[in-house]
Amino acid sequence: MHELSIALSIVDIAKEEAKKSNAETIKEIELEIGKMSGVDKDALLFSLNIAMKNSVLDGARIELKEIVPLAYCRACHNEYVPDTLFSACPKCHSYGSELIKGREMRVKSLLVE
């Protein structure tokens, strides 16, 4: 379950940012997670709720935004929303595409107090 290590890393990032801002608590954390990042959203939320206990994030609201994937076909220059990492281009049926959006995961913002 790598979601727990991700959750612990998110808490570490939040602690560091709170320290930089001289904040005692964080009221809200906004996360962006690509649908093809390989992260189970429910497992991450479960892990975050555990990792946030007794930290600057204790009681913080979690805002999670899923990023829809976008692929670019090198053969016909078509951009499309793929079903899987290995989806063929719907226009030319080439498998020479690259995922340009949908694998990312980031802490987008923190609301500190």
Side-chain angles (χ1 to χ4, degrees):
M1 184 164 141
H2 71 288
E3 282 80 1
L4 181 57
S5 63
I6 293 169
L8 292 170
S9 294
I10 290 169
V11 170
D12 287 343
I13 290 167
K15 283 180 186 177
E16 188 63 34
E17 291 303 316
K19 186 178 177 181
K20 287 179 189 176
S21 301
N22 294 320
E24 292 184 19
T25 60
I26 295 174
K27 294 293 181 186
E28 181 179 291
I29 183 165
E30 185 179 0
L31 305 171
E32 290 183 333
I33 300 175
K35 282 190 174 186
M36 294 196 177
S37 65
V39 175
D40 182 305
K41 186 174 73 169
D42 293 330
L44 178 62
L45 288 173
F46 177 80
S47 298
L48 262 174
N49 283 313
I50 293 169
M52 289 169 38
K53 298 275 188 228
N54 301 317
S55 76
V56 293
L57 283 165
D58 200 355
R61 183 174 164 267
I62 303 168
E63 181 74 31
L64 189 97
K65 180 183 175 190
E66 264 191 335
I67 305 297
V68 176
L70 184 65
Y72 172 77
C73 178
R74 290 185 214 116
C76 72
H77 310 290
N78 182 38
E79 288 187 357
Y80 62 98
V81 176
D83 295 328
T84 69
L85 283 173
F86 308 106
S87 295
C89 173
K91 187 174 177 184
C92 73
H93 307 290
S94 168
Y95 284 96
S97 297
E98 85 179 85
L99 195 62
I100 56 175
K101 191 168 86 170
R103 283 186 144 173
E104 58 272 275
M105 188 179 144
R106 68 180 139 253
V107 175
K108 184 173 181 189
S109 68
L110 298 168
L111 179 61
V112 298
E113 199 172 83

Coordinates of all heavy atoms in Angstrom, one line a residue, residues 45-110:
L45 N -7.1 8.7 0.7 CA -7.9 9.5 1.6 C -7.9 8.8 3.0 O -7.7 9.5 4.0 CB -9.3 9.7 1.1 CG -9.4 10.7 -0.1 CD1 -10.8 10.7 -0.6 CD2 -9.0 12.1 0.4
F46 N -8.0 7.5 3.0 CA -8.0 6.8 4.2 C -6.6 6.9 4.9 O -6.5 7.2 6.1 CB -8.2 5.3 4.0 CG -8.1 4.4 5.2 CD1 -9.2 4.3 6.1 CD2 -7.0 3.7 5.4 CE1 -9.1 3.5 7.2 CE2 -6.9 2.9 6.6 CZ -8.0 2.8 7.4
S47 N -5.5 6.8 4.2 CA -4.2 7.0 4.7 C -3.9 8.4 5.2 O -3.3 8.6 6.2 CB -3.1 6.6 3.7 OG -3.3 5.2 3.3
L48 N -4.4 9.4 4.4 CA -4.2 10.8 4.8 C -4.9 11.1 6.2 O -4.4 11.8 7.0 CB -4.8 11.7 3.8 CG -3.8 12.3 2.8 CD1 -4.5 13.1 1.7 CD2 -2.8 13.1 3.5
N49 N -6.1 10.6 6.3 CA -6.9 10.8 7.6 C -6.1 10.2 8.8 O -6.1 10.8 9.9 CB -8.3 10.2 7.5 CG -9.2 11.1 6.7 OD1 -9.2 12.3 6.9 ND2 -9.9 10.5 5.8
I50 N -5.4 9.2 8.6 CA -4.6 8.6 9.7 C -3.3 9.4 9.8 O -2.9 9.8 11.0 CB -4.2 7.1 9.4 CG1 -5.5 6.3 9.4 CG2 -3.1 6.6 10.3 CD1 -5.3 4.9 8.9
A51 N -2.6 9.7 8.8 CA -1.3 10.5 8.8 C -1.5 11.9 9.3 O -0.5 12.4 9.9 CB -0.7 10.5 7.4
M52 N -2.6 12.5 9.1 CA -2.9 13.9 9.5 C -3.1 14.0 11.0 O -2.9 15.1 11.6 CB -4.1 14.4 8.8 CG -3.8 14.7 7.3 SD -5.2 15.1 6.3 CE -6.3 16.1 7.3
K53 N -3.4 12.9 11.7 CA -3.7 13.0 13.2 C -2.4 13.5 13.9 O -1.3 13.2 13.6 CB -4.0 11.6 13.7 CG -5.3 11.0 13.2 CD -6.5 11.5 13.9 CE -7.7 10.7 13.4 NZ -8.8 11.6 13.1
N54 N -2.7 14.4 14.9 CA -1.6 15.0 15.7 C -0.5 15.7 14.9 O 0.6 15.7 15.3 CB -1.0 13.9 16.6 CG -2.0 13.3 17.5 OD1 -2.8 13.9 18.1 ND2 -1.9 12.0 17.6
S55 N -0.9 16.3 13.8 CA 0.0 17.1 13.0 C -0.6 18.5 12.7 O -1.8 18.7 13.1 CB 0.3 16.4 11.7 OG -0.7 16.5 10.7
V56 N 0.0 19.3 12.0 CA -0.5 20.6 11.6 C -1.8 20.5 10.8 O -2.6 21.4 10.6 CB 0.5 21.6 10.9 CG1 1.6 22.0 11.9 CG2 1.0 20.9 9.7
L57 N -1.9 19.3 10.2 CA -3.1 19.0 9.3 C -4.3 18.4 10.1 O -5.3 18.1 9.4 CB -2.7 18.1 8.2 CG -1.9 18.7 7.0 CD1 -1.3 17.7 6.2 CD2 -2.8 19.6 6.2
D58 N -4.1 18.2 11.3 CA -5.2 17.5 12.1 C -6.5 18.3 12.0 O -6.5 19.5 12.3 CB -4.8 17.4 13.6 CG -5.6 16.3 14.3 OD1 -6.5 15.7 13.7 OD2 -5.3 16.1 15.5
G59 N -7.5 17.7 11.4 CA -8.8 18.3 11.2 C -9.0 19.1 10.0 O -10.0 19.7 9.7
A60 N -7.9 19.2 9.1 CA -8.0 19.9 7.9 C -8.9 19.3 6.9 O -9.1 18.1 6.9 CB -6.6 20.0 7.3
R61 N -9.5 20.1 6.1 CA -10.4 19.7 5.0 C -9.5 19.3 3.8 O -8.6 20.0 3.5 CB -11.4 20.8 4.6 CG -12.4 20.5 3.6 CD -13.3 21.6 3.3 NE -14.0 21.4 2.1 CZ -13.7 21.9 0.9 NH1 -12.6 22.7 0.9 NH2 -14.4 21.7 -0.2
I62 N -9.8 18.1 3.2 CA -9.1 17.6 2.1 C -9.9 17.9 0.8 O -11.0 17.4 0.7 CB -8.8 16.1 2.2 CG1 -8.0 15.9 3.5 CG2 -8.0 15.7 1.0 CD1 -7.9 14.4 3.8
E63 N -9.4 18.6 -0.1 CA -10.0 18.9 -1.4 C -9.2 18.1 -2.4 O -8.0 18.3 -2.6 CB -10.0 20.4 -1.7 CG -10.6 20.7 -3.0 CD -12.1 20.6 -3.0 OE1 -12.7 20.9 -1.9 OE2 -12.7 20.4 -4.0
L64 N -9.8 17.1 -3.1 CA -9.1 16.3 -4.0 C -9.6 16.5 -5.4 O -10.8 16.3 -5.6 CB -9.2 14.8 -3.6 CG -8.3 13.9 -4.4 CD1 -7.0 13.6 -3.6 CD2 -9.1 12.6 -4.6
K65 N -8.8 16.8 -6.3 CA -9.2 17.0 -7.7 C -8.6 16.0 -8.6 O -7.3 15.9 -8.6 CB -8.9 18.4 -8.2 CG -9.3 18.7 -9.6 CD -8.8 20.1 -10.1 CE -9.2 20.3 -11.5 NZ -8.6 21.5 -12.1
E66 N -9.4 15.3 -9.4 CA -8.8 14.3 -10.3 C -8.5 14.9 -11.6 O -9.4 15.7 -12.2 CB -9.8 13.1 -10.5 CG -9.5 12.0 -9.6 CD -10.3 10.7 -10.0 OE1 -11.4 10.8 -10.6 OE2 -9.8 9.6 -9.7
I67 N -7.3 14.7 -12.1 CA -6.9 15.2 -13.4 C -7.2 14.2 -14.5 O -6.8 13.0 -14.5 CB -5.4 15.5 -13.5 CG1 -5.0 16.5 -12.3 CG2 -5.0 16.1 -14.8 CD1 -5.6 17.8 -12.4
V68 N -8.0 14.6 -15.5 CA -8.4 13.7 -16.6 C -7.2 13.6 -17.5 O -6.5 14.5 -17.8 CB -9.6 14.4 -17.4 CG1 -9.9 13.5 -18.6 CG2 -10.8 14.5 -16.5
P69 N -6.9 12.3 -17.9 CA -5.7 12.1 -18.8 C -5.9 12.7 -20.2 O -7.0 12.8 -20.7 CB -5.6 10.6 -18.8 CG -6.9 10.1 -18.5 CD -7.6 11.1 -17.6
L70 N -4.8 13.1 -20.8 CA -4.8 13.5 -22.2 C -3.5 13.0 -22.9 O -2.4 13.0 -22.3 CB -4.7 15.1 -22.2 CG -4.8 15.8 -23.5 CD1 -6.1 15.5 -24.2 CD2 -4.5 17.2 -23.4
A71 N -3.8 12.4 -24.0 CA -2.7 11.8 -24.8 C -2.5 12.5 -26.1 O -3.4 13.1 -26.6 CB -3.0 10.3 -25.1
Y72 N -1.3 12.4 -26.6 CA -0.9 13.1 -27.9 C -0.4 12.0 -28.8 O 0.6 11.3 -28.5 CB 0.1 14.2 -27.7 CG 0.7 14.8 -29.0 CD1 0.0 15.7 -29.7 CD2 1.9 14.4 -29.4 CE1 0.5 16.2 -30.9 CE2 2.5 14.9 -30.6 CZ 1.7 15.8 -31.3 OH 2.2 16.3 -32.5
C73 N -1.0 11.9 -30.0 CA -0.5 10.9 -31.0 C 0.6 11.5 -31.8 O 0.4 12.6 -32.5 CB -1.7 10.5 -31.9 SG -1.2 9.3 -33.2
R74 N 1.7 10.9 -31.8 CA 2.9 11.4 -32.6 C 2.7 11.2 -34.1 O 3.2 11.9 -34.9 CB 4.2 10.8 -32.2 CG 4.6 11.2 -30.8 CD 5.9 10.6 -30.4 NE 5.9 10.4 -29.0 CZ 6.0 9.2 -28.4 NH1 6.1 8.1 -29.1 NH2 6.0 9.0 -27.1
A75 N 1.8 10.2 -34.5 CA 1.6 9.9 -35.9 C 0.7 10.9 -36.6 O 1.0 11.4 -37.7 CB 1.1 8.5 -36.0
C76 N -0.4 11.3 -36.0 CA -1.4 12.1 -36.6 C -1.6 13.5 -35.9 O -2.5 14.3 -36.3 CB -2.7 11.4 -36.9 SG -3.7 11.1 -35.3
H77 N -0.9 13.7 -34.8 CA -1.0 14.9 -34.0 C -2.4 15.1 -33.3 O -2.7 16.2 -32.9 CB -0.6 16.1 -34.8 CG 0.7 15.9 -35.5 ND1 1.9 15.8 -34.9 CD2 0.9 15.7 -36.8 CE1 2.9 15.6 -35.8 NE2 2.3 15.5 -36.9
N78 N -3.1 14.0 -33.1 CA -4.4 14.1 -32.4 C -4.2 14.1 -30.9 O -3.4 13.4 -30.4 CB -5.2 12.9 -32.9 CG -6.6 12.9 -32.3 OD1 -7.2 13.9 -32.1 ND2 -7.1 11.7 -31.9
E79 N -5.0 14.9 -30.2 CA -5.0 14.8 -28.8 C -6.4 14.2 -28.4 O -7.4 14.5 -29.0 CB -4.9 16.2 -28.2 CG -3.6 16.8 -28.3 CD -3.4 18.1 -27.5 OE1 -4.4 18.6 -26.9 OE2 -2.3 18.7 -27.5
Y80 N -6.3 13.3 -27.4 CA -7.5 12.5 -27.0 C -7.4 12.1 -25.6 O -6.3 12.0 -25.0 CB -7.7 11.3 -28.0 CG -6.6 10.3 -27.9 CD1 -6.7 9.2 -27.1 CD2 -5.4 10.5 -28.6 CE1 -5.7 8.2 -27.1 CE2 -4.4 9.5 -28.6 CZ -4.6 8.4 -27.8 OH -3.5 7.5 -27.7
V81 N -8.5 11.7 -25.0 CA -8.6 11.2 -23.7 C -8.5 9.6 -23.8 O -9.4 9.0 -24.3 CB -9.9 11.6 -23.0 CG1 -10.0 10.9 -21.6 CG2 -10.0 13.1 -22.9
P82 N -7.4 9.1 -23.3 CA -7.2 7.6 -23.4 C -8.0 6.9 -22.3 O -8.2 7.4 -21.3 CB -5.7 7.4 -23.2 CG -5.3 8.6 -22.3 CD -6.2 9.7 -22.7
D83 N -8.4 5.6 -22.7 CA -9.0 4.8 -21.7 C -8.0 4.1 -20.7 O -8.3 3.9 -19.6 CB -9.8 3.6 -22.4 CG -11.0 4.2 -23.2 OD1 -11.5 5.2 -22.8 OD2 -11.3 3.6 -24.2
T84 N -6.8 3.8 -21.3 CA -5.8 3.2 -20.5 C -4.4 3.8 -20.9 O -4.4 4.6 -21.9 CB -5.7 1.7 -20.7 OG1 -5.2 1.4 -22.1 CG2 -7.0 1.0 -20.5
L85 N -3.4 3.4 -20.3 CA -2.0 3.9 -20.6 C -1.6 3.5 -22.0 O -0.8 4.1 -22.7 CB -1.0 3.4 -19.6 CG -0.9 4.2 -18.3 CD1 0.0 3.5 -17.3 CD2 -0.6 5.6 -18.5
F86 N -2.2 2.4 -22.5 CA -1.8 1.8 -23.8 C -2.9 1.8 -24.8 O -2.9 1.0 -25.7 CB -1.4 0.3 -23.5 CG -0.3 0.2 -22.4 CD1 -0.6 -0.3 -21.2 CD2 1.0 0.7 -22.7 CE1 0.3 -0.4 -20.2 CE2 1.9 0.6 -21.7 CZ 1.6 0.1 -20.4
S87 N -3.8 2.8 -24.7 CA -4.8 3.0 -25.7 C -4.3 3.5 -27.0 O -3.4 4.3 -27.1 CB -5.9 4.0 -25.2 OG -6.5 3.5 -24.1
A88 N -4.8 2.9 -28.1 CA -4.5 3.4 -29.5 C -5.2 4.7 -29.7 O -6.2 5.0 -29.2 CB -4.9 2.3 -30.5
C89 N -4.6 5.5 -30.6 CA -5.2 6.7 -31.0 C -6.6 6.4 -31.7 O -6.6 5.6 -32.6 CB -4.3 7.5 -32.0 SG -5.1 8.9 -32.8
P90 N -7.6 7.0 -31.3 CA -8.9 6.8 -31.9 C -9.0 7.2 -33.4 O -9.9 6.8 -34.1 CB -9.9 7.5 -31.0 CG -9.1 8.5 -30.3 CD -7.7 8.0 -30.2
K91 N -8.2 8.1 -33.8 CA -8.2 8.7 -35.1 C -7.5 7.8 -36.1 O -8.0 7.5 -37.2 CB -7.7 10.1 -35.1 CG -7.8 10.9 -36.4 CD -7.4 12.3 -36.2 CE -7.4 13.1 -37.6 NZ -6.9 14.4 -37.4
C92 N -6.2 7.5 -35.8 CA -5.4 6.7 -36.8 C -5.0 5.3 -36.3 O -4.4 4.6 -37.0 CB -4.1 7.5 -37.1 SG -2.9 7.5 -35.8
H93 N -5.4 5.0 -35.1 CA -5.2 3.6 -34.5 C -3.7 3.3 -34.2 O -3.4 2.2 -34.0 CB -5.9 2.5 -35.3 CG -7.3 2.8 -35.5 ND1 -8.3 2.8 -34.5 CD2 -8.0 3.2 -36.7 CE1 -9.4 3.1 -35.1 NE2 -9.3 3.4 -36.3
S94 N -2.9 4.3 -34.2 CA -1.5 4.2 -33.9 C -1.3 4.0 -32.4 O -2.0 4.5 -31.6 CB -0.7 5.4 -34.4 OG 0.6 5.4 -33.8
Y95 N -0.3 3.3 -32.0 CA 0.1 3.1 -30.6 C 1.3 4.0 -30.2 O 1.9 3.9 -29.2 CB 0.4 1.6 -30.3 CG -0.8 0.8 -30.2 CD1 -1.3 0.1 -31.3 CD2 -1.6 0.8 -29.0 CE1 -2.4 -0.7 -31.2 CE2 -2.7 0.0 -28.9 CZ -3.1 -0.7 -30.0 OH -4.3 -1.5 -29.9
G96 N 1.6 4.9 -31.1 CA 2.7 5.8 -30.9 C 2.3 7.1 -30.1 O 2.7 8.2 -30.5
S97 N 1.5 7.0 -29.1 CA 1.1 8.2 -28.4 C 1.8 8.3 -27.1 O 2.4 7.4 -26.6 CB -0.4 8.0 -28.0 OG -1.2 8.0 -29.2
E98 N 1.8 9.6 -26.6 CA 2.4 9.8 -25.3 C 1.4 10.5 -24.4 O 0.6 11.3 -24.8 CB 3.7 10.6 -25.4 CG 3.5 12.1 -25.5 CD 4.8 12.9 -25.6 OE1 5.3 13.0 -26.7 OE2 5.3 13.3 -24.5
L99 N 1.4 10.1 -23.1 CA 0.5 10.7 -22.1 C 1.1 12.1 -21.7 O 2.2 12.2 -21.2 CB 0.4 9.8 -20.9 CG -0.8 10.1 -20.0 CD1 -2.1 9.9 -20.7 CD2 -0.7 9.2 -18.8
I100 N 0.3 13.1 -22.0 CA 0.8 14.5 -21.6 C 0.2 15.1 -20.4 O 0.7 16.0 -19.8 CB 0.7 15.5 -22.8 CG1 -0.8 15.6 -23.3 CG2 1.6 15.1 -24.0 CD1 -1.0 16.6 -24.4
K101 N -0.8 14.4 -19.9 CA -1.5 14.8 -18.7 C -2.2 13.6 -18.1 O -2.8 12.8 -18.8 CB -2.5 16.0 -19.0 CG -3.1 16.7 -17.9 CD -3.8 17.9 -18.3 CE -5.2 17.6 -18.7 NZ -6.1 18.8 -18.9
G102 N -2.2 13.5 -16.8 CA -3.0 12.5 -16.1 C -2.2 11.6 -15.2 O -2.8 10.7 -14.5
R103 N -0.9 11.8 -15.1 CA -0.1 11.0 -14.2 C 0.4 11.8 -13.0 O 1.0 11.2 -12.1 CB 1.2 10.5 -14.9 CG 0.9 9.3 -15.8 CD 2.2 8.8 -16.4 NE 2.2 7.4 -16.5 CZ 3.1 6.6 -17.0 NH1 4.2 7.2 -17.5 NH2 2.9 5.3 -17.1
E104 N 0.2 13.1 -13.0 CA 0.7 13.9 -12.0 C 0.0 13.8 -10.6 O -1.1 13.2 -10.6 CB 0.6 15.4 -12.4 CG -0.7 15.9 -12.8 CD -1.1 15.7 -14.2 OE1 -0.8 16.5 -15.0 OE2 -1.8 14.7 -14.5
M105 N 0.7 14.2 -9.6 CA 0.2 14.2 -8.3 C 0.9 15.4 -7.6 O 2.1 15.4 -7.5 CB 0.4 12.9 -7.6 CG -0.3 12.9 -6.3 SD -0.1 11.4 -5.4 CE 0.0 12.1 -3.8
R106 N 0.1 16.3 -7.0 CA 0.7 17.4 -6.4 C -0.1 18.0 -5.3 O -1.4 17.9 -5.3 CB 1.1 18.5 -7.4 CG 0.0 19.2 -8.1 CD 0.4 20.3 -9.1 NE -0.4 20.2 -10.3 CZ 0.0 19.7 -11.4 NH1 1.1 19.3 -11.6 NH2 -0.9 19.7 -12.4
V107 N 0.5 18.7 -4.4 CA -0.2 19.5 -3.4 C -0.3 20.9 -4.1 O 0.6 21.6 -4.3 CB 0.6 19.7 -2.1 CG1 -0.1 20.6 -1.1 CG2 0.9 18.3 -1.4
K108 N -1.6 21.2 -4.4 CA -1.8 22.4 -5.1 C -1.8 23.6 -4.2 O -1.3 24.7 -4.5 CB -3.1 22.3 -5.9 CG -3.4 23.6 -6.8 CD -4.5 23.4 -7.7 CE -4.7 24.7 -8.5 NZ -5.9 24.7 -9.2
S109 N -2.5 23.5 -3.1 CA -2.6 24.7 -2.2 C -2.8 24.2 -0.7 O -3.3 23.1 -0.5 CB -3.6 25.7 -2.6 OG -4.9 25.1 -2.4
L110 N -2.5 25.1 0.2 CA -2.7 24.9 1.6 C -3.3 26.2 2.1 O -2.9 27.3 1.8 CB -1.4 24.7 2.4 CG -0.6 23.4 2.0 CD1 0.8 23.5 2.6 CD2 -1.3 22.2 2.4

